[in-house]
Amino acid sequence: GAGVSQSPSNKVTEKGKDVELRCDPISGHTALYWYRQRLGQGLEFLIYFQGNSAPDKSGLPSDRFSAERTGESVSTLTIQRTQQEDSAVYLCASSRGLSYGELFFGEGSRLTVL
Amino acid sequence: QKEVEQNSGPLSVPEGAIASLNCTYSDRGSQSFFWYRQYSGKSPELIMSIYSNGDKEDGRFTAQLNKASQYVSLLIRDSQPSDSATYLCAVNTGNTDKLIFGTGTRLQVFP
C-alpha cells in the first residue's frame, strides 16, 4: 500500500517480556517519527530519524526503549522488560520534511502489558 | 513550561457556530506549525499547516500564526457535529524537523 504500515496492530504481552514494533514508511520519505499515546492523552515524542543523520532520541523515556532504522526504510522500536506503564498506542509517522508539509501517520500498534 | 500548550477542553459549541482553538509554544526558533484532527480510536490527520505570520484559510478552516506572541490558533466556521474530535497543535523545534505535539483540545459540536 501507499501509506505508513505498522505491525503488529495489537500486542498483548506479559510484564518483563520484550516487544518489537515495526514501521514501514512511505517510500521516499526521509524522516520517520515514533510517538507514544497513552489512553486519553496527547502524542508523546519518542524518537526521530532524518535520512542518514544521527537520530534524535531525546524523547525515549528510559534505556529500556531503543529504535533502529536502516537507511530510509523500515524502523523497529524495541521495548525491553516491558512494564504496565508502557501500555499505549505507539504511532509511527513519516515525512519528506516539514517544509514540504505534513507527517503521515500509520494506524498505530496498541500495546497492552499485563 | 511545556513546549506546546493547549487547553484540554472540552470546548462545546452549537452547530453553525465558530469554534476557536488556541495553542502557545515556547521555542522562538520554531518555523513550522500544524493542526491535526484526531477522531477517537483513529490516527491524527492534517487539517492545516502554516509557516508565516498571518492568516491562512482553507474552506471552513482558518489558521492564524503570531510568532511575536508565540501562538497559533485554528478557527472552524459553521461548525458541524462531524467536527467533534480532538485537535492537536504541532510545532517544530528550532531549526529541525523534530515535531512536538500539544496534548490536544477536545471539541464537541452539538446539534
Side-chain angles (χ1 to χ4, degrees), chain B residues 15-100:
Chain B
E15 184 174 358
I18 295 175
S20 178
L21 304 162
N22 299 310
C23 170
T24 58
Y25 60 94
S26 61
D27 189 338
R28 285 198 169 274
S30 296
Q31 300 166 350
S32 303
F33 307 85
F34 303 87
W35 282 99
Y36 282 79
R37 177 176 63 197
Q38 187 176 29
Y39 291 112
S40 181
K42 299 296 185 181
S43 294
E45 57 181 346
L46 184 73
I47 298 295
M48 294 281 286
S49 61
I50 187 166
Y51 301 95
S52 304
N53 277 329
D55 295 359
K56 179 181 178 183
E57 186 175 320
D58 184 1
R60 295 187 296 113
F61 300 95
T62 299
Q64 299 174 318
L65 174 61
N66 184 322
K67 291 185 180 180
S69 300
Q70 294 175 248
Y71 85 79
V72 57
S73 63
L74 179 70
L75 299 178
I76 306 174
R77 289 180 298 282
D78 189 23
S79 296
Q80 301 297 308
S82 58
D83 294 327
S84 298
T86 296
Y87 289 80
L88 301 163
C89 173
V91 180
N92 81 303
T93 57
N95 197 29
T96 76
D97 279 4
K98 175 181 174 181
L99 196 64
I100 301 299

Side-chain angles (χ1 to χ4, degrees), chain A residues 27-106:
Chain A
S27 178
H29 282 193
T30 57
L32 186 147
Y33 303 75
W34 284 99
Y35 293 89
R36 177 170 71 180
Q37 188 170 35
R38 292 191 169 112
L39 187 64
Q41 304 297 312
L43 272 66
E44 178 185 359
F45 171 80
L46 297 178
I47 188 169
Y48 152 65
F49 297 88
Q50 174 61 64
N52 293 316
S53 301
D56 183 330
K57 305 179 181 181
S58 58
L60 294 179
S62 76
D63 59 7
R64 295 188 296 105
F65 288 73
S66 63
E68 293 183 348
R69 186 183 188 194
T70 306
E72 295 182 357
S73 62
V74 171
S75 175
T76 55
L77 176 68
T78 302
I79 308 172
Q80 295 179 310
R81 306 181 301 283
T82 52
Q83 304 294 312
Q84 288 183 332
E85 62 263 28
D86 299 335
S87 296
V89 175
Y90 290 82
L91 289 163
C92 175
S94 71
S95 169
R96 288 192 298 149
L98 293 185
S99 58
Y100 291 98
E102 66 187 293
L103 267 60
F104 291 83
F105 283 86

